[in-house]
């Protein structure tokens, strides 16, 4: 039996362009959908404004100024021992309005310099094409991905960057957490996944599925083109896997969990298998959703299947149909509700912490698809304190990561799943996506900036930095 991770295992760190770069209007960059999202707070949702408005606080505009400081940060990543760095390309840097016919050379040059710097330091770039950075104009003029025209703009963008960086980037993903837009209550995901805002009287289910299918078609077209551009490209999908457990052994709870998982699997089933699953076709038929697609598009889905499944893992959910348990109602199964799992604690933001769920998820996906997987996000958002002597002790983060990585190790070494790598989220402190806060910190490198935007932006190593450095250096043997 294997005793440790393979020597090529990609130990890394992950971020997204809009949460780290800043320079939101520099060198010809257009406005992206992240640029019109205000700062919220713990429990306070972010607002989406109609364009960039005077007097609002938009935390992504400066973020942590990686745009100007990437060399200094990459030097720290090298010291940490990272073998891979996951980031995204900000689409609006390359095609400022999304529908431009020619790309913005200054934007392309920035990512040339960034990838060169990573490679020079022995760090493999892992690149997401669309991580909540759709050009704002594609919403304003076309209504986002519910409009099929946007498929072509995404393909033009994907082809442009894959051609440009074909000698520098081997690992790609198309849409970040593409399935998030299924999460009914939190409409901001429809915005960040698809640049869609619902209007009075809209059929929400129809729009969710139409926009999602259009993205899946766009993804398949780009995967196909990418493989033509460079056959050694590894192109993955990117899913938010939040496994749903039955709360009780009541068979109805098990069935409810299964139906909720269909809402996630719809996306990865198409990405990996190239076909719209029958459970979805039945649902569309039953609800009369009239989702539009052509035979040619169905063929494209088959021809553009992904090489691996990239996914984020933060938490698990539980569902029940038992009448005496309180929870939030869900669609797709009569009287089902999402409920708290009594065996699991939560973070200060109410996110359930479930390391065993990561092992379960790795097994679940591998059994379903039998393709390599890549954990491209996992981590713990927490408030950190700088001690008087300047130290930042974060044992809670080390614990979270240690338990998750140990479960990951069991999945690889004991269960035999095929895992390419692990890039914990927010390797350096960045702007939180959900809350827009700086103080919901995931990093192993501290950034001196608070929720109001005050601070020197100075970088400092946390205790977790030294801990993770040792994990990488020993290839996970210390876990
Ligand atoms: C994932 C996203 O949903 O979770 C990231 O891909 C995000 O962009 C991360 O930052 C953590 O969420 P949050 O809201 O704590 O930043």
């Amino acid at each position: 039996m294997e005793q440790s991770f393979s020597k090529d295992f990609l130990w890394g760190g992950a971020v997204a362009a809009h949460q780290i770069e800043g320079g939101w209007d520099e060198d010809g960059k257009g406005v992206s959908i992240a640029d019109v999202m205000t700062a919220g707070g713990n429990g306070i949702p972010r607002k989406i404004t109609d364009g960039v408005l005077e007097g609002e606080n938009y935390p992504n505009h400066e973020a942590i100024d990686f745009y100007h400081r990437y060399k200094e940060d990459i030097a720290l990543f090298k010291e940490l021992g990272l073998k891979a760095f996951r980031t995204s390309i900000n689409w609006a840097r390359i095609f400022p309005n999304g529908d431009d016919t020619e790309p913005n050379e200054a934007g392309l040059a920035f990512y040339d310099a960034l990838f060169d710097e990573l490679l020079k330091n022995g760090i493999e770039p892992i690149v997401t094409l669309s991580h909540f950075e759709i050009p704002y104009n594609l919403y304003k003029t076309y209504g986002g991905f519910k409009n099929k025209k946007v498929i072509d703009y995404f393909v033009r963008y994907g082809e442009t960057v894959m051609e440009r960086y074909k000698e520098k980037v081997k690992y790609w993903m198309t849409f970040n957490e593409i399935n998030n837009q299924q999460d009914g209550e939190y409409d901001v995901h429809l915005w960040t996944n698809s640049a869609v805002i619902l209007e009075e009287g809209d059929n929400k289910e129809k729009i969710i599925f139409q926009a999602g299918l259009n993205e899946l078609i766009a993804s398949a077209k780009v995967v196909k083109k990418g493989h033509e551009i460079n056959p050694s490209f590894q192109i993955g999908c990117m899913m938010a896997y939040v496994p749903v457990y039955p709360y009780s052994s009541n068979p109805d709870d098990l069935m409810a969990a299964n139906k909720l998982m269909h809402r996630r699997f719809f996306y990865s089933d198409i990405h990996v298998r190239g076909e719209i699953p029958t459970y979805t076709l039945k649902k569309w038929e039953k609800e009369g959703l009239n989702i539009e697609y052509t035979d040619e598009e169905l063929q494209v889905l088959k021809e553009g299947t992904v090489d691996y499944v990239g996914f984020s893992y933060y938490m698990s959910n539980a569902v029940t149909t038992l009448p005496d348990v309180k929870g939030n109602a869900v669609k797709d199964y009569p009287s089902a509700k999402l409920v708290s799992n009594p065996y699991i604690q939560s973070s200060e933001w109410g996110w359930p912490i479930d390391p065993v769920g990561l092992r379960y998820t790795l097994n679940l996906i591998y059994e379903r698809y039998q393709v390599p997987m890549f954990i491209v996000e996992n981590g713990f958002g927490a408030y950190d304190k700088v001690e008087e002597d300047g130290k930042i002790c974060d044992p809670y983060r080390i614990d979270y990561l240690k338990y998750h990585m140990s479960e990951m190790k069991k999945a690889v070494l004991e269960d035999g799943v095929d895992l390419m790598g692990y890039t914990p989220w927010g390797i350096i402190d960045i702007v939180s996506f959900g809350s827009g806060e700086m103080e919901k910190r995931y990093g192993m490198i501290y950034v001196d900036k608070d929720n109001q935007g005050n601070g020197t932006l100075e970088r400092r190593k946390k205790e977790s930095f030294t801990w993770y450095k040792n994990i990488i250096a020993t290839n996970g043997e210390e876990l």
Side-chain angles (χ1 to χ4, degrees):
M1 196 165 88
E2 298 282 334
Q3 293 304 316
S4 67
F5 291 97
S6 84
K7 62 176 187 1
D8 307 323
F9 191 76
L10 292 166
W11 295 100
V15 297
H18 70 105
Q19 288 170 273
I20 189 171
E21 286 176 3
W24 74 284
D25 60 353
E26 283 185 51
D27 300 328
K29 178 180 162 295
V31 178
S32 90
I33 55 170
D35 293 325
V36 299
M37 292 178 71
T38 64
N42 190 347
I44 308 164
R46 303 178 73 174
K47 279 187 302 186
I48 299 161
T49 57
D50 186 11
V52 174
L53 305 181
E54 205 60 45
E56 292 284 3
N57 175 9
Y58 298 106
N60 300 72
H61 284 192
E62 182 192 53
I64 64 159
D65 194 31
F66 183 73
Y67 192 68
H68 299 109
R69 295 166 193 247
Y70 68 90
K71 289 194 178 165
E72 180 196 332
D73 290 337
I74 290 171
L76 283 167
F77 300 157
K78 184 179 185 186
E79 185 185 334
L80 179 55
L82 295 195
K83 298 182 191 308
F85 178 62
R86 173 185 177 227
T87 188
S88 54
I89 296 177
N90 196 321
W91 183 351
R93 259 190 219 295
I94 311 300
F95 288 98
N97 302 297
D99 57 358
D100 320 69
T101 49
E102 291 303 320
N104 170 33
E105 179 52 36
L108 287 167
F110 168 70
Y111 291 105
D112 263 323
L114 174 62
F115 299 147
D116 286 345
E117 191 67 19
L118 287 167
L119 294 170
K120 197 172 93 190
N121 285 282
I123 302 172
E124 187 81 50
I126 316 284
V127 175
T128 315
L129 290 174
S130 177
H131 191 133
F132 311 158
E133 286 131 353
I134 301 174
Y136 183 66
N137 177 54
L138 292 183
Y139 157 70
K140 264 296 189 204
T141 310
Y142 304 93
F145 267 99
K146 66 182 182 200
N147 185 332
K148 286 202 182 269
K149 275 198 188 137
V150 176
I151 298 177
D152 296 338
Y153 300 134
F154 179 75
V155 174
R156 183 185 296 167
Y157 157 63
E159 204 179 345
T160 303
V161 294
M162 284 179 158
E163 186 61 48
R164 174 82 170 216
Y165 308 122
K166 66 181 174 210
E167 306 296 342
K168 300 181 183 181
V169 178
K170 175 177 176 191
Y171 298 95
W172 301 87
M173 277 168 281
T174 51
F175 291 95
N176 184 64
E177 293 190 336
I178 187 167
N179 59 307
N180 262 348
Q181 54 202 319
Q182 284 280 2
D183 294 350
E185 303 104 79
Y186 196 37
D187 280 341
V188 80
H189 281 140
L190 256 180
W191 175 247
T192 49
N193 283 127
S194 294
V196 166
I197 293 186
L198 292 175
E199 281 152 30
E200 202 61 29
D202 275 346
N203 179 339
K204 185 172 175 183
E205 284 289 85
K206 182 175 165 71
I207 291 177
I208 286 176
F209 279 104
Q210 187 67 67
L213 184 66
N214 290 347
E215 282 187 344
L216 289 158
I217 294 163
S219 170
K221 287 188 171 189
V222 167
V223 171
K224 191 172 171 228
K225 286 233 151 80
H227 285 144
E228 284 159 19
I229 290 170
N230 184 345
S232 69
F233 275 175
Q234 290 291 301
I235 313 173
C237 57
M238 196 313 198
M239 295 281 300
Y241 275 126
V242 179
V244 183
Y245 301 161
Y247 174 84
S248 77
S249 51
N250 182 324
D252 265 343
D253 284 9
L254 182 65
M255 207 52 229
N258 180 269
K259 284 315 275 181
L260 261 68
M261 286 309 288
H262 283 170
R263 282 209 163 247
R264 292 155 173 59
F265 285 141
F266 161 69
Y267 299 89
S268 44
D269 282 356
I270 295 182
H271 270 308
V272 182
R273 296 171 169 162
E275 280 183 14
I276 303 174
T278 46
Y279 54 79
T280 305
L281 291 171
K282 284 284 173 203
K283 176 187 163 70
W284 291 352
E285 190 187 322
K286 192 168 130 216
E287 295 176 20
L289 295 186
N290 293 321
I291 304 299
E292 287 167 29
Y293 53 88
T294 62
D295 288 347
E296 195 195 337
E297 288 174 337
L298 291 181
Q299 185 57 28
V300 164
L301 293 179
K302 284 196 177 59
E303 291 168 357
T305 55
V306 294
D307 301 311
Y308 67 92
V309 173
F311 71 97
S312 65
Y313 176 83
Y314 291 94
M315 63 181 96
S316 59
N317 282 170
V319 68
T320 192
T321 54
L322 299 179
D324 51 341
V325 189
K326 286 203 170 47
N328 297 322
V330 290
K331 296 183 212 133
D332 298 328
Y333 201 76
S335 69
K337 307 160 270 194
L338 281 177
V339 294
S340 302
N341 183 335
Y343 302 101
I344 287 174
Q345 312 253 304
S346 292
S347 77
E348 289 186 80
W349 278 262
W351 289 26
I353 303 168
D354 175 16
V356 177
L358 177 57
R359 179 179 182 185
Y360 169 71
T361 302
L362 284 161
N363 278 281
L364 183 76
I365 305 170
Y366 196 56
E367 282 162 11
R368 193 172 182 95
Y369 302 124
Q370 296 278 299
V371 297
M373 296 172 290
F374 199 157
I375 303 169
V376 294
E377 285 188 33
N378 171 237
F380 191 56
Y383 293 112
D384 290 334
K385 187 163 166 265
V386 185
E387 304 294 339
E388 270 171 27
D389 60 3
K391 283 205 185 109
I392 300 139
C393 303
D394 53 350
Y396 35 87
R397 185 169 294 108
I398 295 174
D399 275 356
Y400 179 100
L401 292 168
K402 184 166 66 193
Y403 292 131
H404 282 79
M405 289 185 202
S406 305
E407 293 299 324
M408 164 178 94
K409 188 172 177 179
K410 287 182 202 160
V412 173
L413 300 187
E414 295 177 32
D415 308 332
V417 306
D418 185 355
L419 185 65
M420 296 157 64
Y422 175 78
T423 57
W425 179 249
I427 194 74
I428 180 168
D429 292 346
I430 55 179
V431 177
S432 154
F433 153 66
S435 68
E437 293 168 285
M438 261 313 294
E439 291 170 49
K440 185 182 186 188
R441 299 175 185 277
Y442 286 84
M444 301 180 200
I445 300 165
Y446 185 87
V447 176
D448 180 25
K449 185 171 177 182
D450 67 16
N451 284 348
Q452 286 69 44
N454 306 311
T456 60
L457 290 170
E458 186 204 342
R459 280 51 169 161
R460 238 181 252 192
K461 292 173 244 172
K462 302 183 193 176
E463 207 179 21
S464 51
F465 183 99
T466 315
W467 176 81
Y468 188 40
K469 185 175 175 175
N470 184 48
I471 297 294
I472 299 177
T474 58
N475 200 19
E477 255 165 51
E478 305 265 314
L479 288 168

